[in-house]
Amino acid sequence: MAEPFDVITMGRIGVDIYPLQTGVPLAQVESFGKFLGGSATNVAVAAARLGRGSAVVTRTGRDPFGDYCRQALKEFGVDDRWATPVEAYPTPVTFCEIFPPDDFPLYFYRLPKAPDLEIRADELDLEAVSSARIFWMTGTGLCEEPSRSATLAALRARAEARAAGAEQTATVFDLDWRPMFWKEGPEAARPHYTEALRHATVAVGNLDECEVATGVREPRACAQALLDAGVELAVVKQGPKGVLAVHRDGTTAEVPPHPVEVVNGLGAGDAFGGSLCHGLLAGWELEHTMRYANAAGALVASRLACSSAMPTESEVEDLLRARK
């Protein structure tokens, strides 16, 4: 068997079309930039930028944008073997408006259906998924079939391999709540989130996402509810109040954000995710992992793009040193 990947992510891919003017409504924007996007994809890119071997399980359209996505994955050092094309649906595009410091409306074009929701359980390389040191999946992958069944199949395979003694570092559930993908609202999502949490070892989400998953909103109550649902580590992102992380063994870390001049807040959470994976793989103490991930997120928030903005180790370490 080949050497296991450090990180395999599963979920969204697409093309981000970002305005090259800030503080301007889309109707008035005159020029745009094209970037690789999608939360799970960005996390794989973030991990690769930090020197980790990563791959993404996803699907594109069989179109020029799909070709672009696979080309960009390779250029970022992410294995694209499981980023396969679908005949029936176009590669998604996402537009945003940029109003710093905290208003970044997103417009998803994923109709009639996004190819990344056509991931099928019988097409998964479950051996690779089970052996990866970290497997990262998202709430969006649970919103429709066949992606929902495929995502849960991957989680169950991971859990079975872990019970059999496989050397895994973490199975991460990025709560990733996108209301436009759930026509019936949070109540429809919660049972599927509950099932996924049974098989994950780490849960990551902001307060809105934690509330969807658990029904509670106070940060420490969210963390406890996630632990009660089955994970070993709950990471609750609180925006300007920083991040709270609580481990089942009683270890707790609550760290503030890194202040930066925000250009585009989109993608900061994905940089946080890739750095969280990096810290878990390195075996760092919880507080250092959170500080490092916060710094990576801050760097991306200070830049325009998502994937191409993901920082290197030296960039994150320079920001951490500057704060000391």
Side-chain angles (χ1 to χ4, degrees), residues 150-172:
T151 301
L152 293 173
L155 287 172
R156 293 187 191 107
R158 289 277 296 180
E160 290 169 4
R162 184 167 63 252
E167 295 184 8
Q168 299 173 357
T169 299
T171 300
V172 185

Side-chain angles (χ1 to χ4, degrees), residues 126 129-131 135 151-166 168 170-171 195-201:
L126 291 178
V129 167
S130 297
S131 64
F135 176 66
T151 301
L152 293 173
L155 287 172
R156 293 187 191 107
R158 289 277 296 180
E160 290 169 4
R162 184 167 63 252
Q168 299 173 357
T171 300
E195 175 66 14
L197 286 166
R198 291 180 54 235
H199 303 295
T201 63

Side-chain angles (χ1 to χ4, degrees), residues 17 44 102 119-120 124 134 162 176 217 263 267 272 317:
I17 309 295
D102 58 1
I119 302 171
R120 299 180 181 275
L124 294 175
I134 289 180
R162 184 167 63 252
D176 183 42
R217 189 172 180 85
V263 173
F272 181 100
E317 289 164 0

Side-chain angles (χ1 to χ4, degrees), residues 109-161:
Y109 290 79
R110 291 169 59 86
L111 296 174
K113 186 179 184 180
D116 54 59
L117 294 176
E118 283 292 294
I119 302 171
R120 299 180 181 275
D122 60 3
E123 297 171 342
L124 294 175
D125 185 341
L126 291 178
E127 184 177 10
V129 167
S130 297
S131 64
R133 297 176 68 190
I134 289 180
F135 176 66
W136 179 287
M137 47 72 62
T138 76
T140 296
L142 300 172
C143 75
E144 284 191 43
E145 294 290 0
S147 173
R148 178 185 300 149
S149 292
T151 301
L152 293 173
L155 287 172
R156 293 187 191 107
R158 289 277 296 180
E160 290 169 4

Side-chain angles (χ1 to χ4, degrees), residues 176-288:
D176 183 42
W177 170 247
R178 302 287 179 175
M180 66 285 293
F181 302 157
W182 295 86
K183 299 180 181 66
E184 298 176 359
E187 295 74 18
R190 190 165 296 139
H192 305 301
Y193 274 53
T194 298
E195 175 66 14
L197 286 166
R198 291 180 54 235
H199 303 295
T201 63
V202 178
V204 184
N206 61 32
L207 291 177
D208 289 339
E209 293 165 338
C210 290
E211 185 175 16
V212 170
T214 67
V216 298
R217 189 172 180 85
E218 192 280 324
R220 289 189 177 271
C222 287
Q224 188 58 56
L226 292 169
L227 295 175
D228 292 343
V231 303
E232 298 172 6
L233 174 63
V235 180
V236 181
K237 294 184 283 188
Q238 305 175 77
K241 293 185 178 179
V243 62
L244 168 68
V246 181
H247 196 279
R248 185 179 293 171
D249 66 8
T251 306
T252 299
E254 189 162 14
V255 300
H258 283 264
V260 293
E261 184 174 344
V262 173
V263 173
N264 183 358
L266 301 172
D270 301 331
F272 181 100
S275 295
L276 171 62
C277 292
H278 186 56
L280 292 172
L281 290 166
W284 292 339
E285 292 183 354
L286 188 59
E287 182 168 343
H288 179 61

Side-chain angles (χ1 to χ4, degrees), residues 91-105:
T91 302
V93 295
T94 303
F95 288 84
C96 80
E97 293 178 315
I98 300 177
F99 295 98
D102 58 1
D103 186 18
F104 307 99

